[in-house]
Amino acid sequence: TAVIFEQFAGIKPYRRGAVLAVPLLSDEAFAERFGAKPGELRGSVLKIDEPKNLNWVLVQIQAACDFSQPKRGPLPFLLGAVIPAGYKLKTDKNGKVLSQPPSVWNSPELSSVESISNSKFHFAVLHGITYSLTRGIVDKENYKVLGRFKDQVTSAIAYEHHSNGSRPGYVNLRGGW
């Protein structure tokens, strides 16, 4: 866990790589903030059949140069989910496991962390669902900090997100030909 994700007292919620717990919201409030209900994202994007309810997180993906020279304005976050070990993927009518789209980044499996999951788990980060918060809103709404991704991991997530999001027609040849 410590190789890619860390926890220690004093991680600020607006720190680069910070992972914040999304407050408990009704399905409608969640959809209003993120564009879809949690169950829709779980099933249609993450392709997860079980468990039916996931814990949702926000990952701060500000560019390193912007973080080192703080400016006023909103901070960029990506929506993600905590996926417990033993989850069950959806299958098609022939029993074939459905694949997640390339817009989902999955961390390696991590050891249990008391404030996140009582079993092994991984994070799934959705590159297509951004959410902006200012420092004032983060402080006002008292977001709970679960930890933070190390800088190298945050840079990789941010690079992939910004590379695909800023270049119409950008082709990523994952897996080769």
Side-chain angles (χ1 to χ4, degrees):
T1 303
V3 174
I4 68 164
F5 185 76
E6 61 188 353
Q7 288 185 303
F8 55 86
I11 297 174
K12 301 291 185 202
Y14 35 80
R15 171 99 166 101
R16 186 169 184 269
V19 177
L20 312 180
V22 171
L24 189 58
L25 301 168
S26 69
D27 283 358
E28 291 72 26
F30 190 96
E32 188 175 296
R33 286 188 188 200
F34 303 113
K37 293 179 179 179
E40 294 169 10
L41 295 176
R42 176 194 47 78
S44 65
V45 177
L46 296 175
K47 308 297 187 200
I48 293 176
D49 194 30
E50 294 287 336
K52 297 294 186 196
N53 295 310
L54 299 173
N55 292 324
W56 296 92
V57 297
L58 292 171
V59 180
Q60 207 273 38
I61 58 156
Q62 186 177 30
C65 56
D66 292 340
F67 182 76
S68 65
Q69 300 174 15
K71 298 179 181 172
R72 295 176 194 252
L75 300 170
F77 290 85
L78 289 175
L79 183 66
V82 176
I83 312 297
Y87 66 97
K88 182 180 173 193
L89 290 172
K90 293 184 109 177
T91 57
D92 65 15
K93 62 183 177 187
N94 297 321
K96 182 181 175 192
V97 173
L98 298 176
S99 299
Q100 292 178 334
S103 61
V104 177
W105 177 84
N106 287 288
S107 76
E109 187 174 77
L110 304 171
S111 300
S112 64
V113 176
E114 188 176 324
S115 62
I116 301 173
S117 177
N118 293 327
S119 64
K120 290 182 178 183
F121 69 98
H122 75 272
F123 290 104
V125 179
L126 291 77
H127 283 290
I129 302 181
T130 57
Y131 193 68
S132 296
L133 294 166
T134 63
R135 285 184 179 208
I137 293 295
V138 168
D139 290 337
K140 179 182 171 186
E141 294 190 8
N142 200 23
Y143 279 87
K144 179 182 177 187
V145 179
L146 301 176
R148 69 177 287 270
F149 284 115
K150 298 252 179 142
D151 288 335
Q152 298 86 343
V153 175
T154 303
S155 292
I157 295 168
Y159 177 80
E160 188 172 336
H161 169 70
H162 293 297
S163 293
N164 290 295
S166 64
R167 294 187 180 111
Y170 177 77
V171 176
N172 186 346
L173 299 176
R174 289 191 198 194
W177 298 88

